[in-house]
């Protein structure tokens, strides 16, 4: 555990790895490092309940499941998660099943990010891991020498955390990326001209696998958390407001966008959450500067189509964790020196898949009739071509680390 001492400054701590951000990637990194005997301290801007209140996708690739096993945090996931061997893709009146198992020999696990985060918190607490919540005014210092540190305010008290390395797991709006000088980073971005209106409802899922649907009215997704909790989305205008949508209006619109047989079977009920998410593709390069390493949303964002956000954060954690364990075990800096290049190589492939799947399944406001014909032709090709299905399935279940 990080050593804490009082001084005139307030809190003074020392650890191996300072982790900024207590979301799933920061917690997973912290827990994996702990298993390898490497000390870390997690600084989180919000409360634990706030972090657990964030609703995110719930589809886990095998690579993430393996990391959770390695971290000793996969028992509940194995007991309560659902293995999915395929997904349904529908366009207009046509639908086909993309078989993950047949095309790749593997499957994905449906298990909510909220539950996964809870498991990670429990593991960190059990191991007496140091997590500070409600941390404000975080600033990163001295990245270009061997003794970086993080300053912050906690409960009104000034704090300083000395460390060997800093992992920036603090999301798109966090301080970590912004600490890298503009002269060394390059950002790539695409903002999509629509959003996703999502609801959570205590109703049984309409199908035992996810349904990705496109229609003349736009995209829809039928997803789930478990047998009694469903998650549904419809493409909406970016300027829309969840308050404009009664539950009834949402269900009616969803039914218009999914295959008729499912629309007839859909069990509707009151929503327990309703929100709009923007769609964005974003990557910053490099993902390392001096002793600072960016992980997950701090470095890249994908549109949610295909559920690659958390899974891509997990591959970053994998590369960073391997690099850091190699450093502490042998003194070699090879793994940490390769981090940015290796992580980015996989990130860009996940970006490509999420962009491709989003472009295929949504109606774009400025799209021509030709553009629409291209989407349909691509869907028909996918429907009928084994090689195309294999390629899509490989990307969906997750490319190797
Ligand atoms: C979700 O369940 O929230 C979800 C599932 C699959 C996606 C996106 C979101 O592609």
């Amino acid at each position: 555990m990080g050593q804490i001492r009082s001084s005139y400054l307030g809190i003074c701590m020392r650890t191996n790895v300072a982790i900024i951000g207590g979301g799933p990637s920061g917690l997973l990194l912290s827990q994996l490092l702990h298993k390898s005997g490497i000390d870390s301290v997690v600084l989180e801007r919000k409360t634990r309940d706030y972090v657990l209140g964030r609703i995110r996708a719930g589809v886990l690739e095998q690579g993430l499941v393996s990391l959770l096993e390695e971290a000793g945090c996969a028992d509940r996931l194995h007991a309560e998660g659902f293995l999915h061997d395929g997904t349904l893709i529908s366009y207009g009146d046509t639908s086909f099943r993309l078989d993950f198992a047949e095309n790749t020999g593997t499957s994905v696990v449906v298990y909510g990010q909220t539950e996964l985060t809870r498991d990670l918190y429990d593991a960190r607490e059990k191991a007496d891991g140091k997590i500070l919540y409600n941390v404000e005014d975080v600033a990163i210092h001295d990245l270009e020498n061997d003794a970086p540190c993080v300053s912050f305010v906690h409960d009104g008290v000034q704090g300083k955390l000395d460390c060997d390395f800093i992992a920036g797991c603090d999301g798109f709006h966090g301080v970590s990326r912004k600490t890298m000088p503009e002269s060394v980073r390059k950002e790539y971005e695409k903002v999509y001209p629509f959003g996703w209106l999502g609801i959570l409802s205590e109703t049984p899922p309409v199908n035992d696998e996810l349904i990705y649907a496109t229609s003349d009215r736009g995209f829809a997704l039928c997803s789930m958390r478990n047998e009694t909790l469903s998650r549904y989305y419809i493409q909406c205008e970016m300027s829309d407001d969840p308050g404009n949508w009664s539950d009834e209006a949402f269900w009616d619109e969803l039914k218009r966008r999914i295959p008729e047989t499912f629309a007839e079977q859909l069990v509707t009920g009151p929503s327990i959450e309703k929100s709009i998410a923007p769609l964005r593709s974003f990557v910053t390069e490099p993902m390392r500067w001096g002793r600072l390493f960016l992980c997950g949303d701090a470095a890249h964002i994908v549109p949610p189509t295909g559920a690659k956000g958390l899974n891509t954060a997990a591959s970053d954690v994998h590369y960073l964790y391997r690099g850091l364990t190699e450093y502490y075990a042998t003194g070699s800096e090879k793994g940490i020196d390769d981090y940015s290049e290796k992580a980015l190589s996989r990130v860009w492939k996940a970006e490509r898949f999420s962009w491709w799947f989003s472009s295929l399944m949504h109606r774009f406001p400025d799209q021509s009739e030709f553009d629409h014909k291209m989407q349909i032709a691509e869907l028909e090709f996918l429907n009928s071509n084994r090689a195309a299905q294999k390629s899509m399935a490989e990307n969906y279940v997750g490319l190797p680390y």
Side-chain angles (χ1 to χ4, degrees):
M1 188 167 100
Q3 296 295 306
I4 306 183
R5 333 201 225 94
S6 304
S7 82
Y8 64 92
L9 244 180
I11 315 163
C12 270
M13 293 188 284
R14 155 102 212 145
T15 189
N16 296 128
V17 184
I19 300 177
I20 305 179
S25 40
L27 295 172
L28 177 59
L29 178 63
S30 168
Q31 178 67 8
L32 285 166
L33 291 173
H34 163 73
K35 287 268 168 190
S36 297
I38 301 166
D39 189 60
S40 67
V41 172
V42 175
L43 303 177
E44 168 55 44
R45 206 161 60 88
K46 303 283 190 181
T47 62
R48 179 191 156 126
D49 284 348
Y50 180 93
V51 176
L52 287 173
R54 294 196 287 229
I55 299 179
R56 298 285 154 82
V59 179
L60 315 187
E61 296 174 355
Q62 190 50 53
L64 171 50
V65 173
S66 302
L67 272 182
L68 289 161
E69 283 166 354
E70 201 171 333
C73 298
D75 290 350
R76 201 159 69 91
L77 177 155
H78 286 309
E80 297 175 20
F82 296 85
L83 272 183
H84 281 212
D85 287 338
T87 185
L88 205 75
I89 299 190
S90 85
Y91 51 107
D93 298 331
T94 311
S95 54
F96 65 95
R97 180 169 182 269
L98 182 72
D99 193 318
F100 307 144
E102 191 181 299
N103 282 295
T104 69
T106 184
S107 34
V108 293
V109 179
V110 167
Y111 187 68
Q113 179 167 326
T114 305
E115 299 312 312
L116 186 154
T117 310
R118 198 187 303 279
D119 296 343
L120 288 165
Y121 273 135
D122 289 350
R124 290 314 296 127
E125 273 162 25
K126 221 186 213 165
D128 245 344
K130 185 86 197 138
I131 306 176
L132 297 185
Y133 299 98
N134 286 320
V135 169
E136 298 168 296
D137 294 340
V138 170
I140 299 172
H141 312 274
D142 301 325
L143 279 173
E144 282 167 297
N145 63 40
D146 291 350
C149 74
V150 183
S151 63
F152 57 90
V153 174
H154 183 237
D155 287 342
V157 179
Q158 181 71 46
K160 181 169 177 273
L161 175 59
D162 291 313
C163 56
D164 305 325
F165 299 102
I166 297 167
C169 304
D170 51 350
F172 184 67
H173 298 288
V175 297
S176 298
R177 184 181 68 258
K178 291 170 198 150
T179 302
M180 288 171 60
E182 277 179 31
S183 58
V184 304
R185 70 182 142 103
K186 179 152 174 55
E187 298 184 347
Y188 302 83
E189 182 173 50
K190 178 179 176 69
V191 176
Y192 299 79
F194 39 74
W196 278 17
L197 171 64
I199 68 162
L200 198 60
S201 76
E202 285 165 333
T203 51
V206 67
N207 187 30
D208 52 8
E209 292 179 341
L210 273 63
I211 305 174
Y212 289 90
T214 184
S215 74
D216 288 346
R217 303 182 67 91
F219 172 78
L221 170 61
C222 305
S223 183
M224 67 200 73
R225 294 292 173 267
N226 55 50
E227 295 108 328
T228 56
L229 191 59
S230 297
R231 182 82 168 141
Y232 295 100
Y233 299 94
I234 53 174
Q235 173 185 351
C236 65
E237 298 205 358
M238 217 149 51
S239 57
D240 219 333
D241 185 311
N244 296 336
W245 287 85
S246 65
D247 289 349
E248 207 187 343
F250 180 92
W251 293 120
D252 285 347
E253 188 55 37
L254 178 68
K255 284 184 197 168
R256 292 190 193 107
R257 299 184 188 194
I258 62 177
E260 215 176 305
T261 46
F262 291 105
E264 282 163 6
Q265 289 163 27
L266 183 74
V267 180
T268 62
S271 63
I272 54 173
E273 194 266 353
K274 193 186 284 157
S275 55
I276 293 183
L279 274 77
R280 180 200 302 265
S281 298
F282 173 88
V283 181
T284 191
E285 289 185 337
M287 284 171 59
R288 179 220 182 150
W289 187 59
R291 297 230 151 195
L292 169 67
F293 300 85
L294 302 180
C295 282
D297 289 1
H300 42 79
I301 300 285
V302 286
T305 332
K308 289 287 162 241
L310 176 61
N311 290 299
T312 311
S315 61
D316 296 347
V317 168
H318 162 89
Y319 292 123
L320 183 54
Y321 154 65
R322 292 271 182 263
L324 290 171
T325 47
E326 183 184 324
Y327 173 83
Y328 283 106
T330 69
S332 164
E333 299 197 5
K334 171 100 177 68
I336 53 178
D337 285 347
D338 288 348
Y339 170 72
S340 180
E341 201 184 319
K342 279 198 176 157
L344 280 165
S345 161
R346 192 173 185 281
V347 162
W348 276 114
K349 290 175 197 136
E351 289 284 343
R352 186 206 67 82
F353 176 67
S354 307
W355 159 82
W356 168 81
F357 199 17
S358 300
S359 308
L360 184 65
M361 300 299 286
H362 291 81
R363 292 309 303 257
F364 286 71
D366 59 352
Q367 135 175 33
S368 66
E369 286 181 35
F370 180 85
D371 295 334
H372 183 51
K373 284 284 189 192
M374 289 299 97
Q375 288 177 319
I376 299 300
E378 182 141 12
L379 283 158
E380 303 234 296
F381 180 62
L382 255 183
N383 185 353
S384 58
N385 186 283
R386 186 67 202 270
Q389 288 183 7
K390 192 166 161 54
S391 159
M392 180 172 180
E394 279 179 10
N395 280 280
Y396 194 95
V397 302
L399 298 174
Y401 292 0

